């Protein structure tokens, strides 16, 4: 498992950074597949932060990173987020996943409680009504 260098856009110091219980909206893409939106509450798992979440800490909207995974390391990197990512294209073979941070916002109490009740987080079309 490796994490590529991130590209930092020139952003204001006042932009919200990814931190505990922030709502993070990402665009995720792999070679040959269109971008897929993914939204989750950062740091919601009772098992601690995943390696993927640790790589996002402190980042802001506009930042990008690349995650290199294999079918053997996908769950190790994403842990509880694997369930909501759930698409086999992310975990079926060795490849790179390109990630762009689209937005970072304060999660509301309702969003945090709904994410905790859901067992991990939220994602577009997941039915949690956080969007």
């Amino acid at each position: 498992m490796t994490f590529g260098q991130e590209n930092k856009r020139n952003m204001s110091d006042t932009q919200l950074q990814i931190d505990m219980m922030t709502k993070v909206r990402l665009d995720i893409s792999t070679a040959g597949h269109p971008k897929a939106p993914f939204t989750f509450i950062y740091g919601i798992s009772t098992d601690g932060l995943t390696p993927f979440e640790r790589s996002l800490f402190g980042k802001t909207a506009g930042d990008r990173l690349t995650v290199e995974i294999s079918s053997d390391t996908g769950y190790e990197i994403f842990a509880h987020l694997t369930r909501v990512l759930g698409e086999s294209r992310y975990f079926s073979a060795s490849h790179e996943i390109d990630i762009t941070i689209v937005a970072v916002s304060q999660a509301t109490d309702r969003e945090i409680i709904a994410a905790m009740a859901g067992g991990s987080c939220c994602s577009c079309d997941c039915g949690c009504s956080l969007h």
Side-chain angles (χ1 to χ4, degrees), residues 7-16 60-63 101-102:
N7 298 318
K8 178 90 172 156
R9 290 174 50 187
N10 188 10
M11 297 287 169
S12 164
D13 289 339
T14 61
Q15 191 170 20
L16 189 61
T60 60
D63 288 350
I101 301 165
V102 176

Side-chain angles (χ1 to χ4, degrees), residues 39-89:
T39 302
F40 70 104
I41 306 297
Y42 182 90
I44 203 76
S45 175
T46 58
D47 294 332
L49 296 174
T50 68
F52 174 66
E53 286 175 303
R54 285 194 298 271
S55 73
L56 294 174
F57 182 80
K59 303 228 180 326
T60 60
D63 288 350
R64 296 182 305 195
L65 67 145
T66 301
V67 178
E68 185 178 317
I69 67 168
S70 70
S71 57
D72 295 334
T73 61
Y75 184 77
E76 176 185 322
I77 294 169
F78 293 97
H80 69 280
L81 298 173
T82 304
R83 184 173 66 98
V84 290
L85 273 170
E87 295 189 41
S88 61
R89 70 177 167 174

Side-chain angles (χ1 to χ4, degrees), residues 11 24 63 67 93 95 109 121:
M11 297 287 169
V24 180
D63 288 350
V67 178
H95 61 280
D109 290 344
C121 54

